[in-house]
């Protein structure tokens, strides 16, 4: 009913409005057409009849499409914008065209495109974006285009495509992605597999080829040799000192994240503490524990020190640093995460930790056990807790920095004032 009202008002407005002076408007084959092609236009002219269903602005000099550019023509079904000078399509430029079935943006200079606008174009059947300057397509760009039959992305500057980019296109029958400078690393292997097995017609497959790395330059994607690829895996660990030395005020917390995967994953720390969330891309310090040049930190020795070998050092751990410490490893094939919750607790006869867990007797040093009524009990999966006495050490920075990449560094956790560290270990 709402669409009927919209159509009725559009017809009334269409009868009342004149065609923009540079354009020709009229009816043809039952369609209301506005022809503005080859008019040397530098902007979308105002004053279109609201009942226009086909609009051609091809072969002009449009430099971009601003927000609301086609608000006057809500019933538009076909929009032709090929052979302009469009560089930017702003958010909201196309979002109002929910009836659009054909969109031609080919042969422009588009590098900045509002992909979110496509989420509103669920009626779209043809999308031509070939011969532009596109370097990136979000994984969810086409999530609403279940009616799309033909997609042309050839002759752009795409280096890769996220796995699953074409999965929502259940009606797709024709796809052109040739003549893009694909980087043939692990992140593109999925496309080879998909292209060889899909029922979608993909022409010029020999021109869907590698530009890099140099050893594969010119190799068609369909003949890409097997690559040594694996998704990331992580293991968050600690190795506390076992020497039983006297506990002193002030301590250092050291965690280590073992990372595996091919290509080598990027390590990122996500820290949730009482004051908020801290995000750290590793490394942020050198082997001496000092901030790397260009790192946005307040001092030369950051509060949270992430080393290149996967270690995280908190030199002055206290109540303000309690929280959840997560290491996230990401490469072209996916991501993996492991987390540990760290809290301070005061032990004692019949005491409770800061998380409300009740303990009796003395914790067993570094054994992954706790005592109940002075009897040692293993911490089973349902407990998911390791209780550790921690002792002092001499040079925490050196202990972590000297670790070999890919290996755990010497364990180092210093604790003061007869406190315990409770590690709640969770792997995802």
């Amino acid at each position: 009913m709402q669409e009927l009202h919209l159509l009725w008002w559009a017809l009334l407005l269409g009868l009342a409005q004149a065609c923009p002076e540079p354009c020709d408007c009229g009816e043809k084959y039952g369609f209301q057409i506005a022809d503005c092609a080859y008019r040397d236009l530098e902007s979308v002219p105002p004053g279109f009849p609201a009942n226009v269903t086909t609009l051609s602005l091809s072969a002009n000099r449009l430099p971009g499409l601003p927000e609301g550019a086609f608000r006057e023509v809500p019933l538009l079904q076909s929009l032709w914008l090929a052979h302009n000078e469009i560089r930017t399509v702003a958010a909201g430029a196309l979002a109002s065209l929910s009836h659009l079935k054909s969109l031609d943006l080919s042969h422009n200079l588009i590098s900045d495109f509002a992909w979110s606008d496509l989420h509103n174009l669920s009626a779209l059947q043809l999308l031509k974006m070939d011969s532009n300057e596109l370097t990136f397509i979000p994984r969810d760009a086409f999530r609403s285009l279940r009616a799309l039959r033909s997609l042309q992305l050839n002759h752009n500057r795409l280096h890769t495509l996220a796995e699953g980019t074409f999965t929502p296109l259940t009606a797709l029958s024709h796809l052109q992605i040739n003549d893009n400078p694909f980087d043939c690393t692990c992140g593109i292997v999925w496309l080879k597999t998909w292209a060889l097995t899909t029922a979608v017609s993909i022409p010029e497959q020999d021109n869907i080829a590698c530009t890099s790395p140099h050893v594969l330059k010119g190799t068609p994607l369909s003949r890409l040799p097997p690559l040594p690829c694996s998704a990331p895996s992580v293991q968050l660990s600690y190795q506390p000192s076992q020497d039983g030395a006297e506990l002193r005020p002030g301590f250092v917390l050291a965690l280590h994240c073992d990372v595996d995967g091919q290509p080598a994953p990027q390590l990122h720390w996500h820290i949730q503490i009482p004051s908020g969330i801290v995000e750290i891309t590793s490394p942020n310090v050198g082997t001496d524990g000092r901030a790397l040049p260009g790192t946005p930190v307040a001092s030369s020795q950051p509060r949270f020190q992430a080393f290149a070998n996967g270690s995280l050092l908190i030199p002055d751990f206290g109540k303000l640093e309690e929280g959840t410490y997560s290491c996230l490893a990401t490469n072209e094939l996916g991501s993996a995460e492991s987390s540990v919750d760290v809290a301070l607790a005061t032990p004692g006869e019949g005491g409770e930790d800061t998380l409300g867990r009740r303990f009796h007797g003395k914790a067993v040093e570094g054994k992954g056990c706790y005592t109940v009524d002075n009897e040692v009990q293993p911490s089973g999966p349902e407990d998911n807790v390791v209780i550790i006495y921690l002792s002092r050490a001499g040079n925490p920075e050196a202990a972590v920095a000297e670790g070999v990449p890919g290996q755990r560094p010497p364990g180092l956790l210093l604790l003061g004032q007869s406190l315990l560290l409770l590690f709640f270990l969770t792997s995802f």
Side-chain angles (χ1 to χ4, degrees), residues 302-325:
R303 177 185 181 188
F304 302 99
Q305 300 177 0
F307 291 82
N309 69 348
S311 296
L312 180 71
L313 194 71
I314 300 93
D316 190 18
F317 194 93
K319 294 289 290 182
L320 295 178
E321 285 72 44
E322 287 186 332
T324 302
Y325 289 71

Side-chain angles (χ1 to χ4, degrees), residues 125 145-152 166 168-176 194 198-202:
Q125 298 178 14
L145 306 186
R146 293 180 176 85
L148 194 70
R149 298 176 183 175
S150 180
L151 175 61
Q152 298 180 23
F166 305 125
L169 304 178
T170 53
L172 191 67
S173 60
H174 179 84
L175 172 66
Q176 290 184 225
W194 180 83
T198 184
V200 176
S201 172
I202 307 176

Side-chain angles (χ1 to χ4, degrees), residues 171-193:
L172 191 67
S173 60
H174 179 84
L175 172 66
Q176 290 184 225
I177 53 172
N178 52 284
D179 294 287
N180 278 285
F182 285 120
D183 184 12
C184 289
T185 58
C186 294
I188 206 72
V189 172
W190 76 270
L191 183 59
K192 170 192 172 182
T193 303

Side-chain angles (χ1 to χ4, degrees), residues 5-295:
H5 274 284
L6 181 62
L7 179 60
W8 184 73
W9 278 107
L11 289 172
L12 286 180
L13 290 171
L15 292 174
Q17 291 180 355
C19 188
E21 183 177 346
C23 308
D24 296 320
C25 300
E27 182 180 346
K28 189 174 183 180
Y29 306 119
F31 294 97
Q32 299 297 323
I33 300 174
D35 184 5
C36 306
Y38 296 94
R39 301 303 202 275
D40 211 28
L41 297 174
E42 295 183 7
S43 62
V44 178
F48 288 107
N51 62 343
V52 168
T53 57
T54 299
L55 174 57
S56 176
L57 286 159
S58 297
N60 282 290
R61 294 195 296 159
L62 303 180
L65 300 177
E67 186 269 337
F70 304 103
R71 194 176 288 125
E72 291 183 335
V73 284
L75 301 181
L76 208 59
Q77 295 182 28
S78 298
L79 178 58
W80 312 110
L81 291 156
H83 296 280
N84 274 279
E85 300 171 7
I86 300 171
R87 295 180 181 273
T88 301
V89 178
L94 303 170
S96 62
L97 303 178
S98 58
H99 298 277
L100 199 63
K101 295 181 179 180
S102 301
L103 175 60
D104 185 356
L105 288 161
S106 63
H107 297 277
N108 278 286
L109 303 169
I110 299 172
S111 59
D112 185 8
F113 183 76
W115 295 101
S116 60
D117 274 19
L118 294 183
H119 299 166
N120 295 329
L121 308 187
S122 57
L124 203 61
Q125 298 178 14
L126 168 66
L127 177 57
K128 298 179 66 174
M129 301 187 74
D130 54 291
S131 303
N132 275 286
E133 303 289 329
L134 297 173
T135 60
F136 170 74
I137 298 177
R139 186 181 184 277
D140 67 343
F142 309 127
R143 71 183 189 194
S144 301
L145 306 186
R146 293 180 176 85
L148 194 70
R149 298 176 183 175
S150 180
L151 175 61
Q152 298 180 23
L153 296 167
N154 47 301
H155 293 92
N156 273 282
R157 297 185 181 273
L158 299 172
H159 291 278
T160 190
L161 288 168
E163 185 171 0
T165 297
F166 305 125
T167 300
L169 304 178
T170 53
L172 191 67
S173 60
H174 179 84
L175 172 66
Q176 290 184 225
I177 53 172
N178 52 284
D179 294 287
N180 278 285
F182 285 120
D183 184 12
C184 289
T185 58
C186 294
I188 206 72
V189 172
W190 76 270
L191 183 59
K192 170 192 172 182
T193 303
W194 180 83
L196 291 175
T197 57
T198 184
V200 176
S201 172
I202 307 176
E204 298 189 55
Q205 291 209 24
D206 281 350
N207 290 329
I208 306 172
C210 307
T211 297
S212 62
H214 182 74
V215 68
L216 294 173
K217 187 174 182 178
T219 302
L221 188 64
S222 60
R223 296 199 287 274
L224 186 67
L227 300 176
C229 303
S230 61
S233 63
V234 298
Q235 182 179 1
L236 187 58
S237 58
Y238 55 88
Q239 288 182 304
S241 173
Q242 301 284 315
D243 61 9
E246 180 184 356
L247 302 177
R248 295 184 178 183
F251 63 93
V252 172
L253 171 64
L255 301 174
H256 184 71
C257 192
D258 281 319
V259 178
D260 193 17
Q262 181 64 32
Q266 172 68 58
L267 179 61
H268 182 86
W269 290 94
H270 176 92
I271 305 170
Q272 188 167 358
I273 54 178
S275 61
I277 294 175
V278 179
E279 304 282 357
I280 301 172
T281 299
S282 182
N284 69 345
V285 295
T287 56
D288 58 358
R290 295 187 176 276
L292 295 173
T295 304

